[in-house]
Amino acid sequence: MATLIPALASCRARMTGGELRLAERLEQKLEDDYLLWYDVPVGPQQLHPDFIVLHPSRGLLILEVKDYRLSTIVQADKNEWTILDSTSGEPITVQSPFGQARHYAHAVCDALSADKRLVHPDGRYQGKLVFAWSYGVVLPNITRKQFTDAQLDGALAAHRVICSDEMAPSVEAEAFQSRLWEMFPYGIYHTLTLPQIDRVRWILFPQVRIGEQASLFDEAGSEDEVPDMLRVMDLQQEQLARSLGDGHRVIHGVAGSGKTMILGYRAEYLASANATGKPILVLCYNEPLAVMLAASMAAKGLQERVHCIHFHKWARAQLVAYGQNLPANNLAQDAFFADMVQRVIDGVTRRHIPTGQYLAVLIDEGHDFAPEWLKLVTQMVDPTTNSLLLLYDDAQRIYGDKRLKFTLKSVGIQAVGRGHSTILRINYRNTRQILRTASAIAGDLLTADEKDDDGIPLIKPISCGREGPEPIVINLPTLPEQAAKVADLLQGAHADGFAWGDMAVLCHNAKTRDLCASTLAKRKIPVQNRLGAGDYHPLENSIKVMTMKVSKGLEFPVVAVVGGEELKAGSDAALADTAARKDTARVLYVAATRATQRLILGTA
């Protein structure tokens, strides 16, 4: 069965009758190695062909579907058709469906031809695509006999047309496929490799591109040249991102599974589809992640439509915006924040703070949200859209004493049932070596515990198999010695070609953080010490130094984790308690999984 993107269930409502029938036939009659896209914006011009069909050895095919009946067509030639308007019944002139399909196909192939790895490097076909491509028209309401009798073959090449009787459910798969591939010119073409297919997707669908977080925001010149090395969402991620429909959706995903990337895609899609009206709210727990997401939206010019903010800053803004009193300044920090949130909850209850303020609410790091927070923010969704997305990974919950005991339904999240809740098990961020080390740190914290749709599952990550160097373990007796060795290794990584902005040092506590930042600064290495809110600048080309907890949600090619000695038995009296040891292991697991290419672990 072919893979259709978006999934049929999510796009069925916006398909015409003919498009739906064709989608069903393509899924049913084609094998697993066929990829299909329906009405997805393509290339730099963001064109919308009805269907794109891609097969490694067959090539790429653009299909336009026209639900015309014979009685609809007044006149047809190769350039223009006169048809009866479905609303007024009056004749109107439209572009020939064949010309429309041809235009889309040439635009697609021109974009693909810019990649030197997809064209012949020399010889007779220099600069031409190494794989076959073509285009055609589907007429789901006209039989082949009607097509011939009406002499429509004068306007459409007969071999480039599929008629209604050639896509009936009873048609054999081989016969149906033959109709598709008769549209292609004869010739000898190469079979696309998996990396080449990824390059096709990278060029045609900019939304599925993956970059390191440090360089996500600089898109200048991105269309000028295709990079030698590139990464794209895998097909499950792309299908999920494009298939998120209306209502409440929950994604349970392991560290590095692309949850935040999918959230960013969803926010951009909603903002582009709804250019006016209420904004979209993106909430997370950690301030650095909110800053990174805000920078990403600003780079796309969406900062007015998508508000990215961490939860407590949002709560304070609500109190200020609606004239509610703030907590007393003399309260301890935890008490201050708890009182602030409660004041927002009370304000909503008394209707002093309105509900339904946002077109959609997207929540990252949902595992660190208390149940009452989730119940509060679900009320902020406009009931006419009812659009909410919650991202969750219980293994990364590093705030709070115990695993949360609640159901999604109890906090107002309506994500029970097939298609509303999705599990992502594959870790794409880390190399196999880094994930193995992080999983060893986590130990039994990653024992899988599957739940029903309304529960909170604990999911064990599966490596995508990407290889890399083994993590470097620094075994030195004192923190100053560890910090000096980390500085040596980061200077070595810079000499190997990593930018300073590709690196982070994640520390057990503020004392260790300040020591590491000072050590780097003394060597004249650009460093950014994240002391508190407002101190994180993701686009700055400097090594980011921060505590392990606030790094959650971020990623860097090179990460040094300093403070691993806290896991050793007896190194800290507090860790004699099993729960405390598990909390520490959880934080170290989160820190280690921030690294995409190189990991350095400091221990004593």
Side-chain angles (χ1 to χ4, degrees):
M1 184 174 180
T3 299
L4 177 64
I5 302 173
L8 186 56
S10 69
C11 56
R12 181 186 299 269
R14 60 188 174 91
M15 287 179 162
T16 67
E19 289 171 344
L20 177 58
R21 292 202 300 279
L22 178 62
E24 290 172 342
R25 299 303 168 268
L26 290 170
E27 272 197 330
Q28 297 162 0
K29 306 292 184 182
L30 304 183
E31 288 88 6
D32 293 349
D33 50 354
Y34 283 86
L35 300 177
L36 316 170
W37 288 269
Y38 166 71
D39 192 32
V40 169
V42 173
Q45 299 179 49
Q46 295 291 275
L47 302 173
H48 279 260
D50 288 337
F51 287 89
I52 298 175
V53 182
L54 180 64
H55 185 270
S57 59
R58 297 287 193 175
L60 185 143
L61 179 64
I62 302 290
L63 293 175
E64 277 301 299
V65 183
K66 298 302 178 185
D67 281 34
Y68 303 151
R69 298 185 182 278
L70 207 58
S71 58
T72 305
I73 303 169
V74 178
Q75 181 273 334
D77 61 35
K78 293 182 178 179
N79 299 313
E80 293 182 342
W81 286 32
T82 301
I83 62 171
L84 297 179
D85 182 69
S86 58
T87 303
S88 66
E90 296 296 319
I92 58 173
T93 300
V94 297
Q95 183 182 12
S96 159
F98 188 72
Q100 190 176 1
R102 181 176 55 205
H103 168 69
Y104 288 149
H106 280 281
V108 163
C109 292
D110 286 347
L112 295 174
S113 297
D115 185 354
K116 61 186 178 182
R117 297 179 186 270
L118 296 178
V119 298
H120 293 279
D122 49 36
R124 177 183 176 185
Y125 299 107
Q126 183 176 5
K128 302 294 184 181
L129 290 171
V130 298
F131 58 91
W133 60 274
S134 192
Y135 49 92
V137 176
V138 179
L139 300 175
N141 295 319
I142 297 176
T143 66
R144 176 61 64 173
K145 184 177 186 306
Q146 289 174 323
F147 177 86
T148 303
D149 290 348
Q151 298 183 339
L152 288 175
D153 50 356
L156 296 174
H159 69 286
R160 290 186 186 262
V161 176
I162 296 177
C163 294
S164 61
D165 48 331
E166 296 162 344
M167 54 181 285
S170 58
V171 171
E172 293 292 331
E174 184 176 350
F176 179 74
Q177 291 183 32
S178 295
R179 294 303 306 165
L180 292 177
W181 305 121
E182 284 173 7
M183 298 181 183
F184 279 75
Y186 293 103
I188 300 175
Y189 296 96
H190 296 170
T191 296
L192 287 168
T193 63
L194 289 176
Q196 285 178 317
I197 290 174
D198 282 345
R199 300 185 79 81
V200 170
R201 294 173 58 224
W202 192 94
I203 295 166
L204 295 188
F205 313 125
Q207 305 90 346
V208 307
R209 297 175 185 177
I210 300 175
E212 303 292 352
Q213 285 183 356
S215 59
L216 277 177
F217 320 117
D218 181 13
E219 297 187 354
S222 62
E223 302 296 345
D224 296 338
E225 184 175 348
V226 181
D228 289 336
M229 299 295 293
L230 51 81
R231 294 170 62 205
V232 293
M233 292 183 188
D234 83 341
L235 291 171
Q236 182 195 16
Q237 291 172 325
E238 182 185 358
Q239 187 178 55
L240 174 59
R242 296 192 190 277
S243 301
L244 288 171
D246 297 331
H248 293 192
R249 296 290 187 272
V250 178
I251 298 175
H252 301 284
V254 300
S257 59
K259 297 184 301 298
T260 299
M261 176 178 62
I262 291 171
L263 177 143
Y265 173 90
R266 180 66 171 170
E268 182 180 355
Y269 169 80
L270 290 172
S272 300
N274 302 273
T276 60
K278 295 179 179 179
I280 295 154
L281 176 65
V282 176
L283 282 177
C284 47
Y285 186 93
N286 272 340
E287 186 258 358
L289 177 57
V291 171
M292 187 276 292
L293 290 169
S296 176
M297 292 300 126
K300 301 175 185 298
L302 297 174
Q303 63 271 27
E304 299 299 324
R305 298 285 303 126
V306 182
H307 299 173
C308 302
I309 189 170
H310 67 281
F311 175 75
H312 288 104
K313 185 175 181 179
W314 172 81
R316 186 184 190 282
Q318 288 290 303
L319 295 177
V320 172
Y322 295 101
Q324 307 299 297
N325 292 328
L326 293 171
N329 287 325
N330 60 354
L331 291 176
Q333 185 180 66
D334 287 348
F336 179 90
F337 287 140
D339 187 19
M340 184 167 63
V341 174
Q342 188 59 50
R343 287 169 183 261
V344 178
I345 293 172
D346 293 341
V348 170
T349 301
R350 294 192 300 264
R351 299 186 179 181
H352 294 166
I353 297 176
T355 58
Q357 297 180 33
Y358 300 96
L359 178 81
V361 173
L362 290 70
I363 306 169
D364 206 346
E365 303 181 298
H367 38 269
D368 285 322
F369 278 54
E372 58 270 22
W373 301 3
L374 292 172
K375 188 173 183 179
L376 170 64
V377 299
T378 56
Q379 299 175 71
M380 293 296 143
V381 180
D382 185 336
T384 62
T385 63
N386 197 31
S387 181
L388 181 139
L389 175 63
L390 173 67
L391 308 184
Y392 213 102
D393 177 17
D394 200 62
Q396 295 189 73
R397 179 185 48 77
I398 59 176
Y399 299 98
D401 297 329
K402 296 181 180 179
R403 190 174 179 203
L404 302 180
K405 303 291 184 181
F406 66 93
T407 64
L408 298 175
K409 184 178 180 180
S410 70
V411 296
I413 296 175
Q414 306 149 14
V416 179
R418 185 178 179 184
H420 288 264
S421 182
T422 303
I423 292 179
L424 300 177
R425 305 176 188 276
I426 300 177
N427 173 301
Y428 297 94
R429 176 190 298 141
N430 309 127
T431 62
R432 182 177 59 83
Q433 291 78 7
I434 291 172
L435 182 60
R436 182 177 59 199
T437 300
S439 297
I441 291 171
D444 61 1
L445 294 176
L446 296 181
T447 301
D449 179 15
E450 304 290 347
K451 300 287 185 181
D452 59 23
D453 285 343
D454 197 39
I456 307 297
L458 179 62
I459 308 159
K460 186 173 183 178
I462 300 171
S463 173
C464 69
R466 185 164 60 88
E467 299 291 331
E470 290 290 342
I472 298 172
V473 177
I474 302 172
N475 193 358
L476 293 171
T478 68
L479 282 174
E481 289 175 294
Q482 288 185 42
K485 184 61 175 178
V486 164
D488 290 340
L489 292 170
L490 295 184
Q491 286 180 307
H494 186 254
D496 290 341
F498 289 97
W500 297 120
D502 288 338
M503 307 180 200
V505 180
L506 312 180
C507 305
H508 175 64
N509 53 36
K511 179 181 177 181
T512 305
R513 178 199 66 201
D514 294 342
L515 171 64
C516 290
S518 174
T519 302
L520 293 168
K522 286 177 181 178
R523 299 196 184 196
K524 308 300 182 185
I525 296 173
V527 61
Q528 184 184 128
N529 188 6
R530 198 272 178 184
L531 302 174
D535 290 334
Y536 182 67
H537 307 286
L539 304 187
E540 184 180 291
N541 187 25
S542 59
I543 297 178
K544 311 301 187 292
V545 183
M546 64 186 74
T547 60
M548 297 181 198
K549 284 189 173 183
V550 300
S551 72
K552 188 160 58 63
L554 304 176
E555 64 179 46
F556 303 89
V558 181
V559 170
V561 177
V562 184
E565 70 278 359
E566 274 75 12
L567 260 188
K568 285 196 169 185
S571 65
D572 190 322
L575 294 180
D577 176 72
T578 301
R581 285 182 58 79
K582 285 186 175 182
D583 287 345
T584 302
R586 195 183 294 272
V587 173
L588 282 168
Y589 169 75
V590 168
T593 53
R594 301 308 96 197
T596 65
Q597 297 182 43
R598 295 188 186 184
L599 175 63
I600 302 164
L601 292 171
T603 185

